[in-house]
Amino acid sequence: MPTLVDVSHQITDGMTTSPGLPAPTVEEGAAGSDPVSGAGGTGGRVGLAGATGTYVEMPAHRYRDGADLADLDLERVADLPGLVVDATERNPIDTRLLRELDVHGRAVLLRTGWDRYWRTDGYNDPDHPYLEEAAAKFLVEGGAALVGVDAVGVDRTAPAAEGARPALGTLLSAGVPVVRHLCLLDQLPAEGFRFHAVPAKVRGMAAFPVRAFAVVG
């Protein structure tokens, strides 16, 4: 039987994904149901920024006329053949690590091991792993369907980067969705699994949490 491996972080009330972003609010719904009508409660309420927890970014995140969540083809985020790239000893992640790999049509998941710092001060350290622009171009030219990472993002966030996001821009401008803040990629094989990271179909949003998981076997 296939094994399901959850590679997304849970979202909890008041948690921090990235400094400066509003924390999510989670209100528990009323228990039980009306014995006469059979109607249940509201199911609770969640308020959050799109960039919360493990989430997918769409081209509209960077480009005014780019595709948003409602434009997202399921073929880009569901039932994709997966490929885990061991980048635990490589920072930045460059083309030398990728050039022998067949990435066409695949969800390319960059395993850095940075998820071990999740929800600690060290997670957003400016020296977190990142993807070089040339490596992002290699993934685009190779036909990658999706790129994911178990770290802050695919670009540097150090002050010297001055807000530049060349790797993210390269991927999103080519229509490649990016999944940030994955976890537990060490529990996946390098190949031989199917990857899913589907967000809600919301018009006007460019980023949204996903329940990312792999089907192994």
Side-chain angles (χ1 to χ4, degrees):
M1 292 292 291
T3 300
L4 300 180
V5 182
D6 192 338
V7 291
S8 55
H9 292 289
Q10 65 174 304
I11 295 173
T12 59
D13 183 68
M15 64 175 276
T16 297
T17 298
S18 299
L21 288 179
T25 58
V26 181
E27 301 175 16
E28 186 176 356
S33 61
D34 186 305
V36 177
S37 67
T42 62
R45 183 189 302 270
V46 177
L48 49 73
T52 298
T54 303
Y55 65 91
V56 64
E57 289 179 296
M58 291 293 295
H61 187 72
R62 294 278 292 179
Y63 303 102
R64 183 182 301 274
D65 297 325
D68 66 10
L69 292 167
D71 299 315
L72 179 60
D73 292 329
L74 284 176
E75 290 80 3
R76 279 288 192 178
V77 291
D79 199 28
L80 293 168
L83 175 66
V84 173
V85 179
D86 184 355
T88 52
E89 302 297 327
R90 191 68 62 88
N91 189 24
I93 302 167
D94 55 30
T95 54
R96 290 176 296 172
L97 191 63
L98 305 172
R99 61 189 175 193
E100 302 299 325
L101 302 174
D102 177 12
V103 302
H104 183 75
R106 289 179 158 185
V108 180
L109 310 182
L110 306 174
R111 179 169 70 87
T112 70
W114 205 253
D115 57 321
R116 66 187 182 275
Y117 299 119
W118 175 249
R119 297 194 65 184
T120 71
D121 292 339
Y123 188 76
N124 289 286
D125 188 293
D127 292 326
H128 68 81
Y130 69 94
L131 185 68
E132 285 190 341
E133 182 179 9
K137 289 180 179 178
F138 173 87
L139 292 171
V140 168
E141 292 167 0
L146 174 149
V147 173
V149 65
D150 60 355
V152 177
V154 293
D155 283 295
R156 296 182 68 193
T157 55
E162 297 180 351
R165 299 288 185 268
L168 182 63
T170 296
L171 295 169
L172 294 186
S173 66
V176 179
V178 175
V179 179
R180 297 172 62 168
H181 309 299
L182 289 166
C183 63
L184 303 177
L185 295 183
D186 59 328
Q187 296 188 11
L188 300 181
E191 300 181 73
F193 64 93
R194 311 293 292 190
F195 182 73
H196 305 256
V198 182
K201 192 174 182 179
V202 184
R203 174 63 70 193
M205 289 285 287
F208 206 77
V210 295
R211 184 72 178 263
F213 66 95
V215 182
V216 182

